Amino acid sequence: MMSNLTSRAGELKSQGAAEAARDPNSIVTAEDAEQLMTDESKKAGVAAFQFDPNASPETKAAEARSHVPPGFHHDKKPKGVGIATDIDDGTPDQYDLPPPSKEGAVPASPQPDGTSSMPKGHINHDENERYVQKPGGAPKFGQGSITEEEAGASLLDHATLLETKLDEKFFGDWYHNAGVIVFACLSSWVVALLGGGLGWIFLIMAICATYYRTSIRRVRRNFRDDVTREMAKSRLETDTESLEWINSFLVKFWPIYAPVLCDTIINSVDQVLSTSTPAFLDSMRMKVFTLGSKPPRMDHVKTYPKAEDDTVLMDWKFSFTPNDTMDLTARQLKNKINPKVVLEIRLGKGVISHGMDIIVEDFSFSGLMRVKVKLQIPFPHIEKVEICFLGKPELDYVCKPLGGDTLGFDINFIPGLEGFIKEQIHGNLGPIMYDPNVFPIEIAKMLAGNPVDQAIGVLAITIHGAEGLKNSDKLAGTPDPYAVVSLNSRDPLGKTKTIKENANPRWNDTLHLIITSLADSLTLQVYDWNEYRKDKELGTATFPLDQLESITEHENLQLEVMANGKNRGILQADVRFFPVLEGMKMEDGTMGPAPESNTGIARLAVEQAKDLDGTKSLIGQLNPYAALILNGKEMHTTRKLKRTNNPIWDNGSKEFLVTDRKAARLGLVVKDDRDLGSDPILGTYQIKLDDMLQLMDKGQEWYNLA
């Protein structure tokens, strides 16, 4: 037995893992080769993974995720928000508002080009004045536009009085070049006339020499800067720039990021393999995966400085060639690990099938990618990034079977197979990101803090009631229950009313949530209300939202209310999911506009007010805040500002669900905050939602308060 193990180890060491496994006469198996590959990669500090081929994609992803450095990922909180609705609850209006009308809308003043003075995404006149007074200029794209008169102007239009009076030859030869000499001569004559000595002459010479040397140095510096700048502009348009600095960064960053990238690839690729197996194969499973020790390389970049003012346009040349060792140091070469993927492919069906391990290695690719960055004025100042390949990228790989019962040759040598595989790859990637098709990355939406920007739909939760609620504190008596809705037991997004002294409450409350993912769990926490002490949690009922992917409506749910592993009652609820409507896919691959609907999510925002009536305050300055009204019910209150008659609110927006767009009424009430007395109303306004949308299309965003 020992001699057998010794001979096996020697064979692995002398022939190499893969070569030994491919030798029909070798006692080394494919599993031995795979294990050695994984061990050698880990010794070199490279992320490598070996899986049970029959394990589920979730199990493989969990194993890959365990190798991610601690603290690399920030915990992502589930994004959701409770919203108001225009559904009539039978209660009277909270405010006595004027009838809905468009009469109070302020007409938009036209610009010289005929457009509105308040286009979307730009700063209006008042905002521009605010920026000019503080930082010295408003945010804008580019260096600004010039008039035809300015475009036709020359340096003569900016000449000084002396330049206009003197002839050009006198100005150039005498005024600039001989001025210091004339001054030195006249000064020396005056000194001699006044009886000065030789010391005064040396002083004048020193002053003139210093002035002349300083002037020449400035001229040379300006000249050198001008020449360097113009040459740099010329190189930007014609030449490419090296990116060795970023390649040096990638060499050190790759060991940190490679496990994370492996995790991402395993999550997607193994799932695709399990669901996209060809008909003649029983299964395709991933067994070994490593990206190797050499990172991708950025060869050069070309910038287009003449692109639009709000666009940054670049061409990036990149490559991933792990087998190229010319740029590796001796230490890197010693620890070098090539990328490897081992797949188990089972031929046949069911019990009449045979597994064969396939190793894909020595893969490389390179290409030229165009990156277009679209800028915007609001934060995060980048609206989106569009990427596409300029031409088909170069792909190469070696695909060889492992094991003693198969031949050890590259199966791409089979005539026509390599070209067929590459054409399949290009055929799938072409409509996505081959020029002129682009792959957009919506940076602004990704970084948006508001779930509405990333909403996938609205969740309607109707909480009918509960039965048999029990309090763990037997001395607490009959509970006064209410339910709180949240995602994954995070921040509360809504709550029901409180029912006094009833272990079988009937709430019949419907709450609406905007959600961004169905990967979270809906949590319904039941509390016992207490007047003088903290409310006590009776238990929690959960509902996984992924059940809504197949069935969007779940009625008469009987959810167990659990606390410390014990049943504390039953909660009855309905859960309905209304996905966001999307446009149809066009023939060119783009998405068309979403269909018109009478129902949807809207956002009302009050940004600022001006010229509020300061006579209602004893000191002439108000403490204003605004209340946003939907169908006569208050749904949001802005921050209360101090001592200003021209407030600008930074939290004046609120999302709400519209079930009847034509009947929805939007209102605004501006009040003055009084610490001791009631807050007087400074102004009100009410308008129908449809009318407001029409006015916004015309650029009318200001309204006169009644």
Side-chain angles (χ1 to χ4, degrees):
M1 182 68 179
M2 286 296 296
S3 61
N4 188 23
L5 291 175
T6 305
S7 62
R8 177 176 295 188
E11 195 168 8
L12 283 172
K13 185 175 181 180
S14 59
Q15 297 186 33
E19 288 77 5
R22 286 194 291 266
D23 187 355
N25 300 318
S26 172
I27 60 176
V28 178
T29 64
E31 287 73 15
D32 295 327
E34 295 162 4
Q35 184 62 48
L36 186 63
M37 291 176 189
T38 305
D39 294 341
E40 290 298 318
S41 298
K42 292 180 178 178
K43 288 180 182 179
V46 178
F49 305 94
Q50 189 171 12
F51 310 104
D52 178 4
N54 297 319
S56 64
E58 292 77 11
T59 303
K60 297 178 182 178
E63 183 177 347
R65 199 176 300 115
S66 66
H67 291 75
V68 177
F72 190 93
H73 286 305
H74 294 289
D75 292 334
K76 294 184 178 179
K77 293 184 178 180
K79 289 187 176 180
V81 60
I83 55 174
T85 70
D86 62 344
I87 300 175
D88 187 6
D89 58 2
T91 60
D93 291 356
Q94 294 178 257
Y95 293 93
D96 184 16
L97 298 178
S101 172
K102 296 191 296 184
E103 300 300 325
V106 178
S109 56
Q111 297 293 323
D113 58 358
T115 61
S116 168
S117 62
M118 294 176 285
K120 286 186 177 180
H122 292 75
I123 297 175
N124 59 37
H125 181 69
D126 295 326
E127 284 286 288
N128 186 72
E129 290 181 355
R130 178 167 68 93
Y131 276 104
V132 169
Q133 293 170 0
K134 293 182 180 178
K140 62 182 179 180
F141 294 124
Q143 300 300 319
S145 58
I146 59 175
T147 63
E148 295 182 0
E149 182 179 354
E150 292 173 335
S154 66
L155 289 177
L156 293 178
D157 298 317
H158 307 282
T160 63
L161 179 63
L162 184 61
E163 292 171 350
T164 57
K165 298 300 182 183
L166 292 177
D167 189 80
E168 182 180 355
K169 63 179 181 178
F170 293 115
F171 175 77
D173 295 338
W174 171 75
Y175 180 71
H176 277 293
N177 300 333
V180 176
I181 299 176
V182 171
F183 172 78
C185 294
L186 291 177
S187 300
S188 301
W189 175 75
V190 171
V191 169
L193 186 63
L194 298 177
L198 192 60
W200 286 99
I201 300 298
F202 283 118
L203 179 61
I204 294 175
M205 292 173 60
I207 294 174
C208 294
T210 303
Y211 172 79
Y212 183 76
R213 184 174 65 253
T214 303
S215 300
I216 290 298
R217 185 171 63 247
R218 290 172 179 169
V219 170
R220 289 175 177 172
R221 183 180 66 244
N222 294 338
F223 176 76
R224 182 173 60 251
D225 293 345
D226 291 342
V227 171
T228 303
R229 183 170 58 254
E230 293 301 322
M231 292 180 65
K233 287 182 179 180
S234 177
R235 285 197 300 268
L236 278 178
E237 297 177 359
T238 57
D239 301 340
T240 58
E241 298 180 75
S242 172
L243 289 171
E244 290 305 318
W245 67 271
I246 199 171
N247 292 324
S248 176
F249 167 77
L250 286 175
V251 168
K252 298 183 178 180
F253 184 67
W254 187 248
I256 301 174
Y257 186 66
V260 183
L261 188 57
C262 286
D263 179 25
T264 305
I265 294 175
I266 291 170
N267 276 330
S268 56
V269 172
D270 199 56
Q271 187 70 36
V272 172
L273 290 176
S274 63
T275 57
S276 304
T277 305
F280 62 89
L281 296 178
D282 186 48
S283 66
M284 289 193 302
R285 298 288 183 180
M286 185 181 295
K287 291 182 67 176
V288 177
F289 182 80
T290 176
L291 282 172
S293 57
K294 184 178 178 181
R297 176 180 175 82
M298 302 297 174
D299 296 330
H300 60 74
V301 62
K302 181 179 179 181
T303 308
Y304 295 89
K306 294 184 178 179
E308 297 294 331
D309 289 338
D310 61 345
T311 302
V312 178
L313 191 62
M314 298 175 289
D315 291 342
W316 291 70
K317 179 69 168 64
F318 71 96
S319 62
F320 183 60
T321 53
N323 287 330
D324 186 3
T325 60
M326 295 298 295
D327 58 341
L328 298 181
T329 64
R331 182 179 178 183
Q332 292 172 340
L333 192 60
K334 180 181 178 180
N335 298 324
K336 177 179 177 294
I337 297 295
N338 277 342
K340 294 183 181 68
V341 179
V342 179
L343 304 176
E344 184 193 61
I345 298 178
R346 300 194 67 85
L347 302 173
K349 290 293 181 182
V351 295
I352 312 177
S353 63
H354 177 70
M356 181 176 63
D357 289 344
I358 301 294
I359 181 171
V360 181
E361 60 181 354
D362 296 341
F363 48 84
S364 62
F365 60 89
S366 61
L368 184 62
M369 179 176 289
R370 172 155 292 180
V371 180
K372 183 179 180 181
V373 182
K374 184 73 171 178
L375 305 178
Q376 66 177 20
I377 290 177
F379 181 83
H381 310 304
I382 297 178
E383 178 183 352
K384 62 181 176 180
V385 177
E386 296 179 346
I387 57 176
C388 68
F389 285 107
L390 299 179
K392 298 179 180 179
E394 296 291 332
L395 304 172
D396 192 21
Y397 61 94
V398 173
C399 185
K400 295 182 179 180
L402 283 175
D405 58 346
T406 55
L407 297 176
F409 71 99
D410 186 359
I411 61 176
N412 282 326
F413 292 161
I414 300 176
L417 182 60
E418 181 181 14
F420 172 75
I421 295 176
K422 289 185 177 180
E423 285 302 319
Q424 291 296 313
I425 296 174
H426 293 314
N428 287 316
L429 290 179
I432 301 175
M433 54 189 315
Y434 284 4
D435 187 53
N437 301 314
V438 297
F439 182 77
I441 303 175
E442 302 286 350
I443 300 295
K445 291 183 178 180
M446 291 171 61
L447 298 180
N450 199 313
V452 176
D453 300 316
Q454 308 171 38
I456 63 171
V458 173
L459 199 64
I461 308 104
T462 300
I463 306 177
H464 297 295
E467 292 182 357
L469 293 178
K470 304 181 186 69
N471 199 324
S472 58
D473 186 359
K474 296 182 179 181
L475 301 178
T478 306
D480 303 326
Y482 67 91
V484 175
V485 177
S486 63
L487 296 179
N488 296 349
S489 299
R490 297 276 187 168
D491 298 333
L493 303 177
K495 61 179 292 187
T496 66
K497 55 181 173 286
T498 301
I499 304 296
K500 296 295 184 68
E501 298 185 354
N502 194 335
N504 303 291
R506 304 304 296 174
W507 293 297
N508 292 321
D509 285 344
T510 300
L511 305 174
H512 295 84
L513 308 180
I514 296 175
I515 59 174
T516 62
S517 172
L518 292 178
D520 303 316
S521 291
L522 178 68
T523 53
L524 305 169
Q525 297 167 292
V526 182
Y527 287 88
D528 178 16
W529 177 82
N530 292 295
E531 185 174 2
Y532 299 109
R533 52 193 175 92
K534 184 179 179 181
D535 296 349
K536 181 177 180 58
E537 183 177 352
L538 301 180
T540 301
T542 61
F543 177 79
L545 295 182
D546 56 8
Q547 297 184 25
L548 298 171
E549 293 180 356
S550 55
I551 303 176
T552 58
E553 294 189 7
H554 292 259
E555 297 183 350
N556 298 320
L557 292 173
Q558 304 292 318
L559 304 175
E560 286 187 319
V561 180
M562 304 295 293
N564 299 323
K566 298 180 179 179
N567 187 299
R568 297 296 180 185
I570 299 294
L571 190 143
Q572 302 149 351
D574 299 339
V575 178
R576 297 180 178 85
F577 176 60
F578 303 94
V580 171
L581 295 178
E582 297 181 350
M584 297 183 61
K585 193 171 185 179
M586 312 298 286
E587 295 182 356
D588 57 358
T590 60
M591 296 298 295
E596 286 289 332
S597 174
N598 195 44
T599 304
I601 304 170
R603 176 190 293 159
L604 176 62
V606 53
E607 297 179 353
Q608 65 181 104
K610 59 182 180 180
D611 300 333
L612 295 178
D613 187 5
T615 60
K616 295 186 178 182
S617 172
L618 295 177
I619 59 175
Q621 290 184 318
L622 304 167
N623 301 323
Y625 67 97
L628 278 60
I629 313 299
L630 174 62
N631 285 358
K633 310 296 190 304
E634 182 177 309
M635 61 175 178
H636 180 65
T637 302
T638 67
R639 187 174 288 111
K640 298 175 181 179
L641 304 181
K642 297 294 184 182
R643 294 179 176 271
T644 177
N645 297 342
N646 298 282
I648 298 176
W649 292 289
D650 58 355
N651 69 330
S653 63
K654 180 65 177 179
E655 299 78 28
F656 55 95
L657 176 65
V658 178
T659 60
D660 188 354
R661 173 175 152 178
K662 296 180 180 179
R665 295 175 288 119
L666 302 179
L668 178 69
V669 177
V670 180
K671 299 182 181 181
D672 182 25
D673 180 35
R674 302 287 175 88
D675 294 330
L676 300 179
S678 60
D679 299 342
I681 294 178
L682 303 175
T684 60
Y685 191 76
Q686 187 171 219
I687 188 174
K688 287 189 175 181
L689 176 57
D690 268 355
D691 292 340
M692 188 175 186
L693 294 175
Q694 294 175 5
L695 293 173
M696 288 179 62
D697 290 338
K698 300 177 183 178
Q700 295 177 252
E701 299 179 354
W702 287 89
Y703 302 89
N704 290 315
L705 298 176

